[in-house]
Amino acid sequence: MSNADTPTVKLLINGEFVESKTSEWRNVINPATQEVLARVPFATDDEIEAAVASAKEAFKTWRKTGIGTRARIFLKYQQLIRENMKELAAILTAEQGKTLADAEGDIFRGLEVVEHAASIGNLQLGELANNVATGVDTYTLLQPLGVCAGITPFNFPAMIPLWMFPMAIVTGNTFVLKPSEQDPMVTMRLTELALEAGIPAGVLNVVHGGPDAVNAICDHKDIKAVSFVGSTKVGTHVYNRASQAGKRAQCMMGAKNHAIVMPDANKDQTLNALAGSAFGAAGQRCMAVSVAVLVGEARDWVPELAEKAKTLKVSAGAEDGTDVGPLISRSALERVNGLIQKGADEGAELVLDGRNPTVPGYEEGNFVGPTIFNGVTADMTIYQEEIFGPVLCVMHAETMEEAIEIINANPNGNGTAIFTRSGAAARRFQEDIDVGQVGINVPIPVPVPIFSFTGSRGSKLGDLGPYGKQVILFYTQTKTVTARWFDEDEVATGVNTTIRLK
């Protein structure tokens, strides 16, 4: 297919899907087949400026739109997402590589945030204290900031955009979204549905691009807050640059998630959980379990874990029965294969080597099968780096205390889990572990939207999480009002030169 015949991904500016005038384009490639699905533009400076200007103008009226009107838009939006779930999942699978079931899961976890946004009438309440002094009341207002922006990663092209713009918009802000240039098509379909649900022109805008677009968002004087999910390197850059430009910033970044396996854990359930969380989505989840710390007699479970992993089917995400789809790109494939070799070279026991699997009909796909290293130590490259592939590192510990020390010594703090039948061990773990999100017999403890995503330490920059109660505070400014009203016949009490209210 020539460039002239390849569909192009559009920009969304002021309620219109428009063709970019850029000269810089990137192909959107099916990672299972290398088929070019579309071309995505790297927006020009003028196009980014137009998107921000549109959002700034729309804010003037959107910020005063009734809270019930905003809520009803998102009630309609969640209905449209449900009605189009199969289509959205098919688009996501084609461009990202996930299995269809996992693609629906990606969309569903974002849909939960949309449903939560529809509850804004209860979420954006202020506080009031009556008679803080004689005839004086004090109350707070949670008011929108203005134009906000989001920068999203390739691994969750539906969920993470839905973490961002619904909560920003429903609180009265307007939004500029920059999705990943690797798989923007499902994001754009979601924005089409958002407009169909009733989001007014200019309230939601979309630009595409790479580092230049990211920097433009961080630097723009009219953008008040930036939300980012992605790699630690880029997230640190975004946080520093946006903060220096006077913006609020929240950056959810890289991880090295550990799961402790106690010898009293239910073996079959635990092995299933480890295999699913380590190898699902080809390991391309920031909440994937990438390190299993086996304690005591559980150290003998490695052969059975490897046998479990061997049962997983590696193929294109659209194929029935697929468990592990392709990596997002050729460069990702080369990087993961290189790290596997590095692990072997540095002395880790390669129990299961998933490189170069045979995938009939998809010989050009970016595939790596489940891979397990045993005897991994903290000084090895495969432990120190986030591999972002279907690779599980197994470490050993004599006691739970030793396992906790291993986890707390790691610089990242996104998620962790323990597998045990002991309530005492679980409680000790949740108290002593220094990680933001903790699972107890739950391998991927991503909280539902009535709670906040709470990654910590090296996995997060910024005080507030991307959804739940915390994000209401992130996208609003608290204004405190102290008011006194006098009756017409009230007698003046004279000049008060103190700071006290009387």
Side-chain angles (χ1 to χ4, degrees):
M1 183 182 295
S2 67
N3 282 345
D5 298 325
T6 304
T8 56
V9 178
K10 306 300 189 289
L11 307 173
L12 173 58
I13 300 176
N14 198 29
E16 299 291 335
F17 292 95
V18 297
E19 192 78 71
S20 175
K21 294 181 171 58
T22 188
S23 60
E24 186 177 359
W25 297 80
R26 175 174 179 152
N27 289 334
V28 179
I29 297 174
N30 183 319
T33 65
Q34 307 310 309
E35 175 193 359
V36 176
L37 302 174
R39 295 193 304 142
V40 60
F42 279 34
T44 67
D45 292 342
D46 287 345
E47 289 165 343
I48 294 173
E49 182 63 39
V52 177
S54 171
K56 183 180 180 182
E57 182 63 25
F59 179 66
K60 295 176 183 178
T61 52
W62 180 247
R63 69 189 299 267
K64 296 182 183 296
T65 300
I67 202 165
T69 298
R70 286 182 262 143
R72 284 189 289 273
I73 288 172
F74 285 95
L75 282 172
K76 176 66 173 177
Y77 189 36
Q78 65 86 24
Q79 175 189 346
L80 290 172
I81 292 173
R82 288 181 181 277
E83 291 174 354
N84 292 274
M85 180 71 77
K86 296 297 183 183
E87 176 202 358
L88 291 164
I91 296 170
L92 197 159
T93 293
E95 63 178 343
Q96 203 279 339
K98 292 185 181 184
T99 67
L100 286 169
D102 196 31
E104 289 197 21
D106 184 330
I107 299 159
F108 183 80
R109 293 309 301 265
L111 172 63
E112 290 179 318
V113 178
V114 176
E115 293 171 339
H116 193 56
S119 304
I120 190 61
N122 293 321
L123 299 174
Q124 204 171 344
L125 295 175
E127 299 174 317
L128 183 145
N130 182 234
N131 285 325
V132 295
T134 304
V136 178
D137 301 329
T138 297
Y139 51 93
T140 59
L141 310 173
L142 300 182
Q143 296 188 319
L145 302 175
V147 182
C148 301
I151 301 163
T152 62
F154 76 84
N155 59 327
F156 284 96
M159 181 183 78
I160 294 181
L162 292 175
W163 280 10
M164 293 184 184
F165 73 79
M167 297 309 298
I169 289 172
V170 82
T171 48
N173 300 284
T174 55
F175 206 80
V176 177
L177 175 66
K178 195 214 82 67
S180 171
E181 64 277 16
Q182 297 189 78
D183 48 7
M185 295 167 62
V186 71
T187 307
M188 296 309 297
R189 182 66 181 120
L190 285 166
T191 63
E192 291 175 1
L193 295 176
L195 297 191
E196 185 179 339
I199 291 179
V203 172
L204 174 61
N205 303 271
V206 183
V207 297
H208 304 286
D212 289 345
V214 170
N215 289 338
I217 287 170
C218 292
D219 295 342
H220 201 289
K221 61 181 177 56
D222 291 328
I223 292 177
K224 305 302 182 184
V226 177
S227 183
F228 170 89
V229 176
S231 72
T232 298
K233 180 180 179 180
V234 179
T236 302
H237 170 79
V238 167
Y239 185 83
N240 291 337
R241 189 153 182 158
S243 298
Q244 289 166 9
K247 307 180 195 315
R248 294 186 182 184
Q250 56 172 211
C251 295
M252 307 297 126
M253 306 184 298
K256 199 71 176 179
N257 304 315
H258 300 65
I260 290 178
V261 179
M262 300 299 292
D264 69 337
N266 182 299
K267 183 184 288 188
D268 285 341
Q269 291 178 352
T270 300
L271 294 179
N272 285 336
L274 289 178
S277 59
F279 308 128
Q284 298 174 120
R285 296 176 179 142
C286 64
M287 288 292 292
V289 170
S290 54
V291 182
V293 185
L294 308 186
V295 178
E297 295 173 2
R299 292 175 291 187
D300 297 331
W301 296 3
V302 175
E304 292 163 281
L305 176 60
E307 289 304 312
K308 180 76 67 175
K310 290 177 183 177
T311 67
L312 301 180
K313 178 182 175 180
V314 180
S315 189
E319 292 290 332
D320 290 340
T322 296
D323 299 298
V324 181
L327 297 174
I328 186 66
S329 66
R330 284 293 194 206
S331 60
L333 175 65
E334 292 169 3
R335 181 178 180 276
V336 170
N337 282 340
L339 284 168
I340 293 172
Q341 185 59 50
K342 188 78 169 177
D345 292 344
E346 292 182 357
E349 179 190 359
L350 186 53
V351 176
L352 182 62
D353 187 350
R355 289 175 291 181
N356 303 314
T358 300
V359 185
Y362 298 95
E363 288 76 13
E364 299 300 315
N366 308 324
F367 295 104
V368 176
T371 298
I372 299 175
F373 280 104
N374 193 22
V376 174
T377 57
D379 59 343
M380 293 179 178
T381 303
I382 54 173
Y383 179 78
Q384 294 176 351
E385 293 195 23
E386 185 177 22
I387 300 173
F388 229 58
V391 180
L392 179 65
C393 297
V394 177
M395 305 179 78
H396 296 173
E398 292 284 347
T399 64
M400 185 177 75
E401 289 74 19
E402 181 185 344
I404 290 173
E405 288 177 4
I406 291 171
I407 298 172
N408 287 347
N410 190 280
N412 296 292
N414 210 32
T416 189
I418 187 171
F419 293 91
T420 181
R421 299 186 194 189
S422 167
R427 193 175 192 284
R428 172 85 179 273
F429 178 73
Q430 74 179 31
E431 288 292 312
D432 292 351
I433 206 70
D434 186 16
V435 174
Q437 292 161 138
V438 178
I440 297 173
N441 298 313
V442 175
I444 304 178
V446 177
V448 295
I450 57 174
F451 295 90
S452 296
F453 191 92
T454 53
S456 63
R457 294 193 285 145
S459 296
K460 176 183 177 183
L461 288 171
D463 297 327
L464 300 171
Y467 59 75
K469 294 179 182 179
Q470 292 183 9
V471 84
I472 303 298
L473 297 177
F474 180 76
Y475 283 127
T476 60
Q477 176 66 48
T478 301
K479 183 181 288 183
T480 306
V481 180
T482 302
R484 167 181 275 163
W485 296 96
F486 297 99
D487 292 332
E488 290 185 7
D489 59 352
E490 190 167 343
V491 177
T493 57
V495 177
N496 178 13
T497 60
T498 74
I499 196 172
R500 292 181 61 190
L501 292 170
K502 296 182 179 180

